[in-house]
Amino acid sequence: MDENSNAVTLNGTPMTLIGKLIQVGAQAPDFKLLDNDMQQVGLDAITGKTLIISVVPSLDTPVCDMQTRTFNKAAVELGADVEILTISMDLPFAQKRWCGAAGVEAVRTLSDHRYASFGEAYGLLIGELRLLARAVIVVDEQRVVRYVQLVPEISAEPDYNEVIARVAELI
């Protein structure tokens, strides 16, 4: 398995990412994730729309909370041709609890905790922590990766405006 040392930092401490970072123009690899009802979900079940894949370490942290709430608001404005996924290593029932408490209904939360297949396939699994690095990936209707934003400092927010602008070009 590929390793990318010092690809990101957490509060200034370098972290190693497992897997090869997904590149623009690549076919989005499939994955095995769990939804909030512990049902397995793959990319094939989600195709047909432009996807914003918002990747966070844990919904129970302030920046991940803000990122997911921001994309939840954006989902309404972007319309039905765009689906927003938030993927983390949180347990599915923790994601479900968080969504209920936060009033997040327009973003679909999915867990990579069981297999880490998303993290490894997209090159976002933090080896030292078994958490996912903060990133945003845009995938078009044909499953082609159109945009990748790996946030270099995990404790920082992504550039939301850049993501929305890239999605607007596709819809």
Side-chain angles (χ1 to χ4, degrees), residues 36-50:
N36 290 174
D37 295 319
M38 301 288 287
Q39 299 301 307
Q40 188 170 301
V41 175
L43 186 58
D44 289 339
I46 305 170
T47 57
K49 296 182 178 188
T50 297

Side-chain angles (χ1 to χ4, degrees), residues 77-137:
E77 297 168 11
L78 291 170
D81 292 334
V82 177
E83 183 165 0
I84 302 177
L85 311 175
T86 292
I87 301 175
S88 72
M89 285 292 203
D90 293 309
L91 295 173
F93 36 84
Q95 290 179 334
K96 187 174 187 174
R97 175 202 47 78
W98 182 89
C99 287
V104 168
E105 297 177 351
V107 168
R108 185 174 182 188
T109 55
L110 298 168
S111 175
D112 198 24
H113 94 278
R114 182 176 288 165
Y115 306 108
S117 72
F118 174 85
E120 289 179 4
Y122 286 70
L124 296 171
L125 180 63
I126 303 170
E128 294 86 349
L129 304 173
R130 194 169 160 57
L131 293 173
L132 299 175
R134 186 175 314 285
V136 184
I137 301 161

Side-chain angles (χ1 to χ4, degrees), residues 17-31:
L17 297 182
I18 307 299
K20 184 175 176 164
L21 182 64
I22 192 72
Q23 298 295 308
V24 171
Q27 279 294 121
D30 201 6
F31 44 70

